[in-house]
């Protein structure tokens, strides 16, 4: 928080911050651990999903008390990577349908009821999942009304051309923006 406050004070323009969760607390996960392959216990609309959505609001509340506001949050960082990560990595696995239901029943309504004007981004994973992920989530009118845009990572861009992923998704859902949110060079040693 002190570093964010310094950056905000130094910037000549407003900084648009976004946050993306890695994992819920262990007691909320199917594997009982913040690390490894696990989902949120139960199903959308239940106490675990509502509580996890409220964690987002509490996070935003606590940062706002320190004059740090967030332009956006993502529903989950790399939701499908949760199925493939090493056992020590903190994560929650979501399918597109699980993320859709969490957004429609829990996270979207919680953000809408909150005093925060924070936007919601979906996916936050490789573009290899597009346009399928967008069709599942944004194809649902309830979920779509809570989602401002799609967060995309570029680690596997060499595998999936932009035309069949980004362009196809934009054509299907032109009112939802696409934003690259995570990448690095040297991911593949070759």
């Amino acid at each position: 928080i002190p570093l964010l406050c310094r950056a905000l004070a130094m910037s000549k323009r407003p900084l648009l911050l976004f946050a993306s969760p890695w994992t819920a607390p262990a007691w909320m996960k199917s594997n009982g651990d913040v690390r490894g392959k696990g989902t949120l216990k139960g199903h959308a609309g239940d106490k675990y999903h509502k509580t996890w959505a409220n964690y987002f609001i509490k996070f935003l509340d606590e940062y706002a008390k320190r004059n740090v506001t967030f332009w956006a949050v993502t529903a989950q960082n790399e939701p499908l990577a949760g199925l493939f990560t090493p056992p020590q990595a903190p994560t929650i696995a979501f399918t597109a349908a699980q993320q859709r239901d969490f957004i429609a029943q829990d996270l979207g309504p919680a953000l809408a009821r909150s005093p925060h004007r924070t936007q919601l981004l979906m996916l936050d994973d490789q573009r290899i999942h597009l346009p399928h992920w967008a069709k599942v989530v944004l194809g649902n009118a309830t979920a779509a009304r809570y989602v401002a845009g799609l967060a995309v990572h570029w680690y596997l861009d060499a595998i999936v051309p932009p035309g069949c992923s980004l362009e196809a998704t934009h054509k299907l859902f032109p009112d939802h923006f696409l934003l690259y949110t995570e990448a690095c060079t040297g991911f593949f040693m070759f």
Side-chain angles (χ1 to χ4, degrees):
I1 291 173
L3 289 175
L4 284 173
C5 289
R6 283 179 56 200
L8 290 165
M10 292 171 59
S11 179
K12 293 183 184 351
R13 292 180 271 170
L15 296 179
L16 300 177
L17 304 175
F18 83 93
S20 185
W22 280 63
T23 187
W27 66 269
M28 297 175 71
K29 287 183 58 189
S30 62
N31 66 344
D33 194 332
V34 295
R35 300 160 301 172
K37 298 167 181 65
T39 61
L40 283 178
K41 289 180 181 175
H43 56 277
D46 70 9
K47 66 180 182 179
Y48 296 103
H49 288 70
K50 297 244 179 272
T51 300
W52 183 230
N54 286 330
Y55 265 69
F56 282 75
I57 306 308
K58 296 284 187 189
F59 169 86
L60 295 171
D61 290 346
E62 291 303 314
Y63 272 81
K65 288 177 187 176
R66 290 152 181 87
N67 297 316
V68 177
T69 58
F70 287 84
W71 163 73
V73 294
T74 72
Q76 174 60 38
N77 180 61
E78 296 186 351
L80 279 179
L83 300 173
F84 308 109
T85 57
Q88 67 276 15
T91 186
I92 303 174
F94 275 100
T95 64
Q98 289 168 327
Q99 189 172 87
R100 173 199 63 210
D101 296 345
F102 175 59
I103 288 169
Q105 296 180 42
D106 305 298
L107 184 55
L111 280 170
R113 285 189 308 270
S114 82
H116 307 287
R117 298 302 68 168
T118 305
Q119 297 188 61
L120 178 58
L121 307 181
M122 56 163 279
L123 184 58
D124 207 15
D125 210 330
Q126 309 306 319
R127 78 176 189 206
I128 197 169
H129 306 303
L130 294 174
H132 166 74
W133 201 279
K135 288 178 185 177
V136 172
V137 177
L138 299 178
N140 177 284
T142 303
R145 79 167 177 236
Y146 294 119
V147 175
L150 291 86
V152 183
H153 298 184
W154 71 25
Y155 301 108
L156 303 178
D157 278 8
I159 298 170
V160 180
C164 68
S165 57
L166 300 175
E167 187 177 344
T169 302
H170 176 69
K171 284 181 180 177
L172 289 168
F173 304 102
D175 295 332
H176 292 83
F177 61 84
L178 296 155
L179 177 68
Y180 271 121
T181 56
E182 184 180 320
C184 68
T185 59
F187 174 68
F188 290 120
M189 298 309 287
F190 48 88

